[in-house]
Amino acid sequence: PYTEPHERLMADTDVEVVNRASGDIQPFSNIKKRESSTSTGNVTGYGIELFDPSHENDWRPVGDVSESYLLVDNREVARVAQRIIEESPFASAPRKVFFDGTRFVYSLVFPSQDIEGPRGDDVTFGLQFRNSYNGSMKFRAELYAERLVCENGMTSKDHFAQHTFRHTLGNERWD
């Protein structure tokens, strides 16, 4: 049976998941954009809410955005990532998911493309996706090189070749 990319990602025990969101919010929780209004019904703005079963009414507010803000669900980001890696000639492996309730980062690597750097350090190439629910950063897909910089396992990333999308309704068919 078909499994959504985000479900496979969260079930993969080799993926490091860093979830700093409050409550029971998960990186791929349901999300919605809703109108905010006064008691007389005047629209004052738009709020973003994430499904959180531990919060009253099951929805936790995570930010306010404009009417023209295009909400991009992290599940859709995972689907786009999956389409890109399926078309890649290189085998990939998910590396890390970071989520803090508003910002999301998903990294994967191409282990078959590992090389030895000029100073003898190991270099791995990867692809990283970034998204936000509150307008704090653009949706972004970027290639990076990660190199081992210390014997204790510390690494450093150099980003290059990126493509960004603003969260505006003009980019509604971004995928």
Side-chain angles (χ1 to χ4, degrees), residues 34-92:
R34 57 143 182 82
E35 284 185 354
S36 301
S37 56
T38 64
S39 59
T40 59
N42 294 331
V43 174
T44 59
Y46 292 81
I48 302 298
E49 296 179 347
L50 277 163
F51 179 72
D52 178 359
S54 71
H55 193 267
E56 62 182 278
N57 303 325
D58 291 338
W59 291 91
R60 181 179 295 273
V62 294
D64 295 309
V65 296
S66 69
E67 179 180 12
S68 63
Y69 186 80
L70 176 65
L71 181 61
V72 178
D73 190 312
N74 291 338
R75 290 174 291 198
E76 188 59 30
V77 173
R79 286 185 202 106
V80 168
Q82 184 64 35
R83 285 202 321 251
I84 290 170
I85 61 177
E86 284 174 354
E87 294 181 20
S88 170
F90 310 117
S92 65

Side-chain angles (χ1 to χ4, degrees), residues 13-14 16 36 71 163:
T13 57
D14 291 331
E16 178 185 0
S36 301
L71 181 61
H163 192 77

Side-chain angles (χ1 to χ4, degrees), residues 5 15 22 53 56 118 149 158 160:
V15 177
S22 57
E56 62 182 278
V149 294
D158 294 316
F160 55 94

Side-chain angles (χ1 to χ4, degrees), residues 19-35:
N19 187 355
R20 295 200 176 126
S22 57
D24 287 335
I25 295 174
Q26 298 299 314
F28 300 105
S29 291
N30 289 332
I31 187 160
K32 65 182 178 180
K33 178 179 167 182
R34 57 143 182 82
E35 284 185 354

Side-chain angles (χ1 to χ4, degrees), residues 64 73 84 86 112 114 122 135 140 153 159:
D64 295 309
D73 190 312
I84 290 170
E86 284 174 354
S112 64
D114 288 359
D122 294 332
R140 175 181 311 187
H159 295 268

